[in-house]
Amino acid sequence: MKTFALIAALLLIAVAPAFPGAGYKNFTVAVYARAYEVQKMDSLQWLEPLWNEISRQVTVGKIYLETHRDRILVDEKTIEAAKAFFKARGVTVAGGITYTVNERNRYETFCYTNPEHRKQVKVIAEYTAKHFDEIILDDFFFTNCKCELCISAKGHLTWTQYRLKLMKEAAQELVINPARAINPKVRIVIKFPNWYEHFQGLGFDLESEPGLFDGIYTGTETRDPVRSGQHLQQYESYLIFRYFENIRPGANGGGWVDPGGMAYMDRYAEQLWMTLFAKAPEVTLFDFRQLQRPIYTTDRAEWQGTHTSFDFDEMLKPIHVANGTTVTPTTIARAAGYTFEHVDSVLGRLGNPTGVKSYKPYNSLGEDFLQDFLGMAGISVDIVPVFPAEAGMTLLTESAGFDPHLVDKIKTQLRAGKNVMITSGLLRALQGKGIDDVVELRYTDKKVLTREFVAGWQTDWLAKKEILIPQIEYLTNDSWEDISCIASGSGWPVLHQARYARGSLFVLTIPDNIGDLYNLPAEVLNRIRHVMSQDIKVRIEGPAQVSLFIYDNGTFIVESFLPEIVNIKIITDDRIGKIKNILSGEEIAGKAAAAGQIWGREKEETNTFDVAIKPHSYIVFQGK
């Protein structure tokens, strides 16, 4: 690190830094600085060359200066010196708090049952409010403590019940009220992390906390989807922002990304541009230290020779700075800057994001992160916290079963001539709770290991590998298999349809390993996408791990996460005769497709467009 800092300092002798100017047109960029680094910011000799190196590679309009993390409380003199430094350079300054005792010890949080810890939490909030008019709480405003005090206080409650109650009280009495007593102007924002399915178990409350705080913020970092401990799929970088925006519209301040766990530079860039595809007004780069990480030749992925959406060679081209000279990119900050410059050129053309509405009640659990996997399978999903009665097609996973009135809501939709798709996990959860009044299906304990799939009398479709699927049983001619899997002379439904009143209830069988959705034959995925596309003018056909992002003004984005060039079909209704590649200007004429039919709907006229997408790349289209 000392060698890198020396190189940066020598470069600055000859090159003046570029100060942030007008910035990007469609969003702002912020940098978060941890207490570990903020405590060093009383030294201009340390701070100035590092900040100059960052800010000439990416345009930064805001910085969050953390006052506390891991029992480090930055002294007032240093905080004020750092604030003055950044304000003099035209950077907006806000405060940050991380309520950890020892992040390295399994993310050890404060104990909100312990009187001494509660006192410290309050002091930190008051101290930070004294110095800042805006404060963001980093990921860790939750509790994982199970000390004797907590065990005793919990009593007969579950850990989830106890922690939800405890952290709501702590938010009001230890953070919000004390901070406002010190600084009535202070605006306090809670940043929710990326593991949204499990929040309630640690005390994060998506029902009450967004209303308690002045704003919310979204952790859109997904890192490596396989090797990281959370195994978060890439699509979540988009979907989680949309979900939180639907929870509190207009108060979701931005998305938050770090370069941790990336095996190649594209993975970092993907998280940034997908955050912006969700229309985040700000992106926070975590953190000041990691933005100093040098660019390595090993950051180049094997597919980079195809000139993907993140062009490694172009990213390394010299940068023009304020005094008319150029400098060579040196750190990962340039990867962010390069990504922002390219995405900013198209974001203004996009409308409001939309997709298949998927109802997830507050603080619910079940079939964890399934919507993210479906997004990776080419279905444009939009999670909402309130049942979407206006939707023509509603997607319900097991978590929707937390709504005690769910079956009645399903019946209301079907009677209104609308359709509902439930997953096999939700079918299991609703058995004996009223779903039998719609259709008599039985989720059994039996499984089938299969590679073969069929639809009616069509030729078999083979999966990439054998997939373990739960067996669902039904009454012949009371409901019907739309897609089946077969093995050893028998078969079971993968996509099933049951008519009820004027609508249809579809049941989608989810493999035991959710990731096996990616191994389904493209033809199976195409049919599932078709059935779910009732409210959408655009869908895609092709393999999994190609995603679709749809907007309400006729624009849409197709992105491939595959390591090779992939050919797909874009299917639109007959009102869209051409699509234009906004990035290249190329127009593609559609071909009239054979009329397709979904049970319970009239035949539809569609146009198809053949498109090739490069590895780890996206194309932005405008329907015409």
mmCIF file of all heavy atoms in Angstrom, residues 261-298:
data_model
loop_
_atom_site.group_PDB
_atom_site.id
_atom_site.type_symbol
_atom_site.label_atom_id
_atom_site.label_comp_id
_atom_site.label_asym_id
_atom_site.label_seq_id
_atom_site.Cartn_x
_atom_site.Cartn_y
_atom_site.Cartn_z
ATOM 1 N N GLY A 261 -15.292 -10.111 -3.484
ATOM 2 C CA GLY A 261 -15.639 -11.423 -4.008
ATOM 3 C C GLY A 261 -15.737 -11.538 -5.507
ATOM 4 O O GLY A 261 -16.180 -12.570 -6.018
ATOM 5 N N MET A 262 -15.333 -10.512 -6.245
ATOM 6 C CA MET A 262 -15.448 -10.619 -7.702
ATOM 7 C C MET A 262 -14.282 -11.439 -8.248
ATOM 8 O O MET A 262 -13.127 -11.263 -7.868
ATOM 9 C CB MET A 262 -15.452 -9.236 -8.341
ATOM 10 C CG MET A 262 -14.156 -8.459 -8.178
ATOM 11 S SD MET A 262 -14.159 -6.939 -9.111
ATOM 12 C CE MET A 262 -12.416 -6.491 -9.025
ATOM 13 N N ALA A 263 -14.590 -12.355 -9.169
ATOM 14 C CA ALA A 263 -13.543 -13.146 -9.805
ATOM 15 C C ALA A 263 -13.008 -12.452 -11.053
ATOM 16 O O ALA A 263 -11.942 -12.798 -11.540
ATOM 17 C CB ALA A 263 -14.089 -14.524 -10.163
ATOM 18 N N TYR A 264 -13.754 -11.482 -11.556
ATOM 19 C CA TYR A 264 -13.358 -10.742 -12.750
ATOM 20 C C TYR A 264 -14.026 -9.375 -12.691
ATOM 21 O O TYR A 264 -15.027 -9.171 -12.010
ATOM 22 C CB TYR A 264 -13.764 -11.494 -14.027
ATOM 23 C CG TYR A 264 -15.188 -12.015 -13.987
ATOM 24 C CD1 TYR A 264 -16.248 -11.213 -14.385
ATOM 25 C CD2 TYR A 264 -15.472 -13.302 -13.526
ATOM 26 C CE1 TYR A 264 -17.553 -11.673 -14.332
ATOM 27 C CE2 TYR A 264 -16.772 -13.774 -13.474
ATOM 28 C CZ TYR A 264 -17.800 -12.955 -13.881
ATOM 29 O OH TYR A 264 -19.091 -13.401 -13.830
ATOM 30 N N MET A 265 -13.470 -8.402 -13.429
ATOM 31 C CA MET A 265 -13.920 -7.026 -13.329
ATOM 32 C C MET A 265 -15.360 -6.837 -13.795
ATOM 33 O O MET A 265 -16.090 -5.978 -13.275
ATOM 34 C CB MET A 265 -12.988 -6.112 -14.121
ATOM 35 C CG MET A 265 -13.127 -4.638 -13.789
ATOM 36 S SD MET A 265 -12.494 -4.224 -12.144
ATOM 37 C CE MET A 265 -10.729 -4.191 -12.453
ATOM 38 N N ASP A 266 -15.801 -7.660 -14.762
ATOM 39 C CA ASP A 266 -17.184 -7.541 -15.232
ATOM 40 C C ASP A 266 -18.195 -7.683 -14.094
ATOM 41 O O ASP A 266 -19.241 -7.045 -14.088
ATOM 42 C CB ASP A 266 -17.502 -8.630 -16.265
ATOM 43 C CG ASP A 266 -16.620 -8.589 -17.487
ATOM 44 O OD1 ASP A 266 -15.399 -8.648 -17.311
ATOM 45 O OD2 ASP A 266 -17.156 -8.526 -18.606
ATOM 46 N N ARG A 267 -17.894 -8.548 -13.117
ATOM 47 C CA ARG A 267 -18.830 -8.817 -12.024
ATOM 48 C C ARG A 267 -19.049 -7.573 -11.189
ATOM 49 O O ARG A 267 -20.157 -7.317 -10.708
ATOM 50 C CB ARG A 267 -18.279 -9.975 -11.157
ATOM 51 C CG ARG A 267 -19.207 -10.409 -10.011
ATOM 52 C CD ARG A 267 -20.382 -11.244 -10.489
ATOM 53 N NE ARG A 267 -21.454 -10.464 -11.051
ATOM 54 C CZ ARG A 267 -22.468 -9.955 -10.359
ATOM 55 N NH1 ARG A 267 -22.553 -10.134 -9.063
ATOM 56 N NH2 ARG A 267 -23.410 -9.281 -10.973
ATOM 57 N N TYR A 268 -18.008 -6.769 -10.994
ATOM 58 C CA TYR A 268 -18.149 -5.495 -10.297
ATOM 59 C C TYR A 268 -19.009 -4.543 -11.118
ATOM 60 O O TYR A 268 -19.955 -3.937 -10.603
ATOM 61 C CB TYR A 268 -16.760 -4.902 -10.061
ATOM 62 C CG TYR A 268 -16.736 -3.584 -9.320
ATOM 63 C CD1 TYR A 268 -17.466 -3.394 -8.153
ATOM 64 C CD2 TYR A 268 -15.946 -2.534 -9.779
ATOM 65 C CE1 TYR A 268 -17.419 -2.190 -7.466
ATOM 66 C CE2 TYR A 268 -15.879 -1.329 -9.095
ATOM 67 C CZ TYR A 268 -16.622 -1.154 -7.942
ATOM 68 O OH TYR A 268 -16.572 0.038 -7.262
ATOM 69 N N ALA A 269 -18.713 -4.451 -12.408
ATOM 70 C CA ALA A 269 -19.453 -3.534 -13.272
ATOM 71 C C ALA A 269 -20.921 -3.932 -13.376
ATOM 72 O O ALA A 269 -21.816 -3.069 -13.387
ATOM 73 C CB ALA A 269 -18.818 -3.498 -14.654
ATOM 74 N N GLU A 270 -21.200 -5.236 -13.455
ATOM 75 C CA GLU A 270 -22.588 -5.700 -13.561
ATOM 76 C C GLU A 270 -23.434 -5.215 -12.396
ATOM 77 O O GLU A 270 -24.589 -4.795 -12.571
ATOM 78 C CB GLU A 270 -22.622 -7.230 -13.610
ATOM 79 C CG GLU A 270 -22.210 -7.817 -14.937
ATOM 80 C CD GLU A 270 -22.024 -9.318 -14.878
ATOM 81 O OE1 GLU A 270 -22.019 -9.896 -13.764
ATOM 82 O OE2 GLU A 270 -21.885 -9.941 -15.946
ATOM 83 N N GLN A 271 -22.880 -5.264 -11.196
ATOM 84 C CA GLN A 271 -23.630 -4.825 -10.023
ATOM 85 C C GLN A 271 -23.952 -3.337 -10.109
ATOM 86 O O GLN A 271 -25.039 -2.898 -9.713
ATOM 87 C CB GLN A 271 -22.827 -5.118 -8.762
ATOM 88 C CG GLN A 271 -22.586 -6.583 -8.511
ATOM 89 C CD GLN A 271 -21.578 -6.820 -7.410
ATOM 90 O OE1 GLN A 271 -21.901 -6.759 -6.229
ATOM 91 N NE2 GLN A 271 -20.336 -7.096 -7.784
ATOM 92 N N LEU A 272 -23.019 -2.571 -10.626
ATOM 93 C CA LEU A 272 -23.217 -1.125 -10.742
ATOM 94 C C LEU A 272 -24.292 -0.801 -11.773
ATOM 95 O O LEU A 272 -25.216 -0.024 -11.508
ATOM 96 C CB LEU A 272 -21.904 -0.440 -11.107
ATOM 97 C CG LEU A 272 -20.786 -0.540 -10.065
ATOM 98 C CD1 LEU A 272 -19.473 -0.013 -10.641
ATOM 99 C CD2 LEU A 272 -21.145 0.228 -8.805
ATOM 100 N N TRP A 273 -24.186 -1.404 -12.972
ATOM 101 C CA TRP A 273 -25.161 -1.012 -13.989
ATOM 102 C C TRP A 273 -26.543 -1.600 -13.721
ATOM 103 O O TRP A 273 -27.565 -0.983 -14.048
ATOM 104 C CB TRP A 273 -24.655 -1.293 -15.395
ATOM 105 C CG TRP A 273 -24.505 -2.698 -15.884
ATOM 106 C CD1 TRP A 273 -25.427 -3.697 -15.859
ATOM 107 C CD2 TRP A 273 -23.350 -3.254 -16.543
ATOM 108 N NE1 TRP A 273 -24.922 -4.841 -16.441
ATOM 109 C CE2 TRP A 273 -23.653 -4.603 -16.886
ATOM 110 C CE3 TRP A 273 -22.097 -2.763 -16.896
ATOM 111 C CZ2 TRP A 273 -22.753 -5.440 -17.546
ATOM 112 C CZ3 TRP A 273 -21.204 -3.596 -17.553
ATOM 113 C CH2 TRP A 273 -21.528 -4.909 -17.859
ATOM 114 N N MET A 274 -26.625 -2.762 -13.058
ATOM 115 C CA MET A 274 -27.947 -3.289 -12.735
ATOM 116 C C MET A 274 -28.631 -2.465 -11.651
ATOM 117 O O MET A 274 -29.856 -2.310 -11.640
ATOM 118 C CB MET A 274 -27.833 -4.746 -12.317
ATOM 119 C CG MET A 274 -27.460 -5.653 -13.475
ATOM 120 S SD MET A 274 -27.281 -7.365 -12.996
ATOM 121 C CE MET A 274 -28.988 -7.799 -12.712
ATOM 122 N N THR A 275 -27.858 -1.911 -10.734
ATOM 123 C CA THR A 275 -28.405 -0.974 -9.750
ATOM 124 C C THR A 275 -29.034 0.217 -10.456
ATOM 125 O O THR A 275 -30.118 0.690 -10.095
ATOM 126 C CB THR A 275 -27.299 -0.505 -8.794
ATOM 127 O OG1 THR A 275 -26.742 -1.640 -8.117
ATOM 128 C CG2 THR A 275 -27.824 0.482 -7.768
ATOM 129 N N LEU A 276 -28.369 0.686 -11.496
ATOM 130 C CA LEU A 276 -28.875 1.835 -12.241
ATOM 131 C C LEU A 276 -30.008 1.457 -13.186
ATOM 132 O O LEU A 276 -30.893 2.273 -13.446
ATOM 133 C CB LEU A 276 -27.721 2.495 -13.001
ATOM 134 C CG LEU A 276 -26.684 3.152 -12.080
ATOM 135 C CD1 LEU A 276 -25.436 3.561 -12.861
ATOM 136 C CD2 LEU A 276 -27.278 4.353 -11.358
ATOM 137 N N PHE A 277 -30.026 0.221 -13.699
ATOM 138 C CA PHE A 277 -31.181 -0.233 -14.487
ATOM 139 C C PHE A 277 -32.461 -0.154 -13.647
ATOM 140 O O PHE A 277 -33.547 0.057 -14.173
ATOM 141 C CB PHE A 277 -31.001 -1.685 -14.944
ATOM 142 C CG PHE A 277 -29.949 -1.890 -15.996
ATOM 143 C CD1 PHE A 277 -29.521 -3.173 -16.315
ATOM 144 C CD2 PHE A 277 -29.377 -0.823 -16.678
ATOM 145 C CE1 PHE A 277 -28.558 -3.391 -17.300
ATOM 146 C CE2 PHE A 277 -28.403 -1.024 -17.653
ATOM 147 C CZ PHE A 277 -27.990 -2.315 -17.963
ATOM 148 N N ALA A 278 -32.320 -0.321 -12.325
ATOM 149 C CA ALA A 278 -33.476 -0.239 -11.421
ATOM 150 C C ALA A 278 -33.867 1.205 -11.134
ATOM 151 O O ALA A 278 -34.805 1.451 -10.386
ATOM 152 C CB ALA A 278 -33.160 -0.964 -10.115
ATOM 153 N N LYS A 279 -33.163 2.163 -11.714
ATOM 154 C CA LYS A 279 -33.401 3.612 -11.592
ATOM 155 C C LYS A 279 -33.034 4.135 -10.197
ATOM 156 O O LYS A 279 -33.721 5.011 -9.648
ATOM 157 C CB LYS A 279 -34.843 3.971 -11.955
ATOM 158 C CG LYS A 279 -35.291 3.509 -13.340
ATOM 159 C CD LYS A 279 -34.376 4.000 -14.468
ATOM 160 C CE LYS A 279 -34.523 5.441 -14.823
ATOM 161 N NZ LYS A 279 -35.702 5.763 -15.599
ATOM 162 N N ALA A 280 -31.951 3.645 -9.641
ATOM 163 C CA ALA A 280 -31.443 4.201 -8.385
ATOM 164 C C ALA A 280 -30.931 5.614 -8.637
ATOM 165 O O ALA A 280 -30.181 5.840 -9.592
ATOM 166 C CB ALA A 280 -30.315 3.326 -7.837
ATOM 167 N N PRO A 281 -31.303 6.583 -7.795
ATOM 168 C CA PRO A 281 -30.853 7.960 -8.014
ATOM 169 C C PRO A 281 -29.408 8.203 -7.580
ATOM 170 O O PRO A 281 -28.823 9.232 -7.945
ATOM 171 C CB PRO A 281 -31.815 8.782 -7.154
ATOM 172 C CG PRO A 281 -32.228 7.845 -6.060
ATOM 173 C CD PRO A 281 -32.262 6.481 -6.681
ATOM 174 N N GLU A 282 -28.853 7.277 -6.805
ATOM 175 C CA GLU A 282 -27.480 7.421 -6.331
ATOM 176 C C GLU A 282 -26.869 6.033 -6.195
ATOM 177 O O GLU A 282 -27.563 5.053 -5.894
ATOM 178 C CB GLU A 282 -27.459 8.139 -4.973
ATOM 179 C CG GLU A 282 -26.073 8.327 -4.364
ATOM 180 C CD GLU A 282 -26.138 9.087 -3.041
ATOM 181 O OE1 GLU A 282 -26.214 10.336 -3.083
ATOM 182 O OE2 GLU A 282 -26.109 8.441 -1.972
ATOM 183 N N VAL A 283 -25.562 5.943 -6.420
ATOM 184 C CA VAL A 283 -24.824 4.713 -6.160
ATOM 185 C C VAL A 283 -23.703 5.038 -5.188
ATOM 186 O O VAL A 283 -22.922 5.968 -5.419
ATOM 187 C CB VAL A 283 -24.234 4.107 -7.446
ATOM 188 C CG1 VAL A 283 -23.400 2.866 -7.109
ATOM 189 C CG2 VAL A 283 -25.324 3.752 -8.437
ATOM 190 N N THR A 284 -23.651 4.294 -4.090
ATOM 191 C CA THR A 284 -22.558 4.456 -3.136
ATOM 192 C C THR A 284 -21.526 3.368 -3.359
ATOM 193 O O THR A 284 -21.853 2.187 -3.409
ATOM 194 C CB THR A 284 -23.076 4.400 -1.689
ATOM 195 O OG1 THR A 284 -23.861 5.576 -1.436
ATOM 196 C CG2 THR A 284 -21.927 4.365 -0.696
ATOM 197 N N LEU A 285 -20.280 3.810 -3.501
ATOM 198 C CA LEU A 285 -19.160 2.893 -3.677
ATOM 199 C C LEU A 285 -18.535 2.632 -2.313
ATOM 200 O O LEU A 285 -18.052 3.545 -1.654
ATOM 201 C CB LEU A 285 -18.125 3.499 -4.629
ATOM 202 C CG LEU A 285 -18.638 3.872 -6.024
ATOM 203 C CD1 LEU A 285 -17.540 4.567 -6.824
ATOM 204 C CD2 LEU A 285 -19.151 2.645 -6.768
ATOM 205 N N PHE A 286 -18.583 1.389 -1.903
ATOM 206 C CA PHE A 286 -17.966 0.978 -0.651
ATOM 207 C C PHE A 286 -16.644 0.289 -1.018
ATOM 208 O O PHE A 286 -16.639 -0.694 -1.766
ATOM 209 C CB PHE A 286 -18.883 0.012 0.107
ATOM 210 C CG PHE A 286 -18.391 -0.355 1.469
ATOM 211 C CD1 PHE A 286 -18.764 0.387 2.576
ATOM 212 C CD2 PHE A 286 -17.554 -1.436 1.649
ATOM 213 C CE1 PHE A 286 -18.315 0.046 3.839
ATOM 214 C CE2 PHE A 286 -17.098 -1.785 2.911
ATOM 215 C CZ PHE A 286 -17.470 -1.041 4.004
ATOM 216 N N ASP A 287 -15.516 0.800 -0.573
ATOM 217 C CA ASP A 287 -15.393 1.971 0.257
ATOM 218 C C ASP A 287 -14.110 2.695 -0.128
ATOM 219 O O ASP A 287 -13.403 2.272 -1.054
ATOM 220 C CB ASP A 287 -15.390 1.563 1.731
ATOM 221 C CG ASP A 287 -14.174 0.730 2.111
ATOM 222 O OD1 ASP A 287 -13.676 -0.094 1.315
ATOM 223 O OD2 ASP A 287 -13.681 0.927 3.220
ATOM 224 N N PHE A 288 -13.798 3.748 0.602
ATOM 225 C CA PHE A 288 -12.621 4.573 0.325
ATOM 226 C C PHE A 288 -11.364 3.717 0.190
ATOM 227 O O PHE A 288 -10.536 3.937 -0.695
ATOM 228 C CB PHE A 288 -12.465 5.592 1.461
ATOM 229 C CG PHE A 288 -11.351 6.587 1.249
ATOM 230 C CD1 PHE A 288 -11.578 7.759 0.553
ATOM 231 C CD2 PHE A 288 -10.093 6.353 1.761
ATOM 232 C CE1 PHE A 288 -10.558 8.680 0.358
ATOM 233 C CE2 PHE A 288 -9.060 7.262 1.578
ATOM 234 C CZ PHE A 288 -9.297 8.427 0.877
ATOM 235 N N ARG A 289 -11.218 2.749 1.041
ATOM 236 C CA ARG A 289 -10.029 1.870 1.007
ATOM 237 C C ARG A 289 -10.031 0.976 -0.221
ATOM 238 O O ARG A 289 -9.023 0.866 -0.932
ATOM 239 C CB ARG A 289 -9.988 1.016 2.275
ATOM 240 C CG ARG A 289 -8.900 -0.065 2.286
ATOM 241 C CD ARG A 289 -9.010 -0.909 3.549
ATOM 242 N NE ARG A 289 -10.307 -1.558 3.667
ATOM 243 C CZ ARG A 289 -10.570 -2.784 3.220
ATOM 244 N NH1 ARG A 289 -9.631 -3.485 2.631
ATOM 245 N NH2 ARG A 289 -11.771 -3.300 3.374
ATOM 246 N N GLN A 290 -11.172 0.326 -0.504
ATOM 247 C CA GLN A 290 -11.214 -0.618 -1.616
ATOM 248 C C GLN A 290 -11.090 0.061 -2.968
ATOM 249 O O GLN A 290 -10.646 -0.566 -3.948
ATOM 250 C CB GLN A 290 -12.504 -1.442 -1.550
ATOM 251 C CG GLN A 290 -12.570 -2.361 -0.343
ATOM 252 C CD GLN A 290 -13.743 -3.307 -0.389
ATOM 253 O OE1 GLN A 290 -13.729 -4.281 -1.135
ATOM 254 N NE2 GLN A 290 -14.759 -3.026 0.412
ATOM 255 N N LEU A 291 -11.461 1.331 -3.058
ATOM 256 C CA LEU A 291 -11.309 2.054 -4.317
ATOM 257 C C LEU A 291 -9.847 2.325 -4.649
ATOM 258 O O LEU A 291 -9.522 2.742 -5.764
ATOM 259 C CB LEU A 291 -12.090 3.371 -4.273
ATOM 260 C CG LEU A 291 -13.609 3.217 -4.311
ATOM 261 C CD1 LEU A 291 -14.285 4.567 -4.107
ATOM 262 C CD2 LEU A 291 -14.068 2.595 -5.628
ATOM 263 N N GLN A 292 -8.964 2.081 -3.694
ATOM 264 C CA GLN A 292 -7.530 2.236 -3.942
ATOM 265 C C GLN A 292 -6.898 0.948 -4.476
ATOM 266 O O GLN A 292 -5.710 0.920 -4.794
ATOM 267 C CB GLN A 292 -6.823 2.644 -2.652
ATOM 268 C CG GLN A 292 -7.315 3.955 -2.061
ATOM 269 C CD GLN A 292 -6.863 4.134 -0.627
ATOM 270 O OE1 GLN A 292 -5.761 3.754 -0.265
ATOM 271 N NE2 GLN A 292 -7.725 4.703 0.197
ATOM 272 N N ARG A 293 -7.698 -0.114 -4.575
ATOM 273 C CA ARG A 293 -7.171 -1.400 -5.049
ATOM 274 C C ARG A 293 -6.676 -1.272 -6.488
ATOM 275 O O ARG A 293 -7.394 -0.824 -7.373
ATOM 276 C CB ARG A 293 -8.267 -2.449 -4.972
ATOM 277 C CG ARG A 293 -7.919 -3.799 -5.600
ATOM 278 C CD ARG A 293 -9.224 -4.461 -6.021
ATOM 279 N NE ARG A 293 -9.117 -5.799 -6.538
ATOM 280 C CZ ARG A 293 -8.799 -6.104 -7.789
ATOM 281 N NH1 ARG A 293 -8.484 -5.157 -8.649
ATOM 282 N NH2 ARG A 293 -8.789 -7.351 -8.192
ATOM 283 N N PRO A 294 -5.426 -1.680 -6.759
ATOM 284 C CA PRO A 294 -4.895 -1.582 -8.127
ATOM 285 C C PRO A 294 -5.651 -2.485 -9.102
ATOM 286 O O PRO A 294 -6.262 -3.479 -8.717
ATOM 287 C CB PRO A 294 -3.440 -2.048 -7.973
ATOM 288 C CG PRO A 294 -3.122 -1.904 -6.527
ATOM 289 C CD PRO A 294 -4.409 -2.152 -5.798
ATOM 290 N N ILE A 295 -5.589 -2.143 -10.374
ATOM 291 C CA ILE A 295 -6.129 -2.982 -11.432
ATOM 292 C C ILE A 295 -5.068 -4.016 -11.804
ATOM 293 O O ILE A 295 -3.913 -3.675 -12.056
ATOM 294 C CB ILE A 295 -6.503 -2.141 -12.670
ATOM 295 C CG1 ILE A 295 -7.612 -1.140 -12.313
ATOM 296 C CG2 ILE A 295 -6.947 -3.037 -13.819
ATOM 297 C CD1 ILE A 295 -7.855 -0.111 -13.383
ATOM 298 N N TYR A 296 -5.477 -5.297 -11.830
ATOM 299 C CA TYR A 296 -4.555 -6.378 -12.150
ATOM 300 C C TYR A 296 -4.902 -6.970 -13.517
ATOM 301 O O TYR A 296 -6.059 -6.932 -13.953
ATOM 302 C CB TYR A 296 -4.621 -7.485 -11.094
ATOM 303 C CG TYR A 296 -4.334 -7.033 -9.691
ATOM 304 C CD1 TYR A 296 -5.324 -7.090 -8.710
ATOM 305 C CD2 TYR A 296 -3.075 -6.547 -9.335
ATOM 306 C CE1 TYR A 296 -5.064 -6.675 -7.401
ATOM 307 C CE2 TYR A 296 -2.808 -6.136 -8.031
ATOM 308 C CZ TYR A 296 -3.806 -6.202 -7.075
ATOM 309 O OH TYR A 296 -3.553 -5.792 -5.796
ATOM 310 N N THR A 297 -3.904 -7.529 -14.175
ATOM 311 C CA THR A 297 -4.174 -8.196 -15.454
ATOM 312 C C THR A 297 -5.105 -9.387 -15.263
ATOM 313 O O THR A 297 -5.863 -9.751 -16.165
ATOM 314 C CB THR A 297 -2.863 -8.666 -16.104
ATOM 315 O OG1 THR A 297 -2.167 -9.516 -15.186
ATOM 316 C CG2 THR A 297 -1.985 -7.478 -16.468
ATOM 317 N N THR A 298 -5.088 -9.984 -14.080
ATOM 318 C CA THR A 298 -5.965 -11.126 -13.792
ATOM 319 C C THR A 298 -7.425 -10.717 -13.645
ATOM 320 O O THR A 298 -8.296 -11.575 -13.536
ATOM 321 C CB THR A 298 -5.505 -11.848 -12.517
ATOM 322 O OG1 THR A 298 -5.376 -10.891 -11.452
ATOM 323 C CG2 THR A 298 -4.154 -12.529 -12.733
#
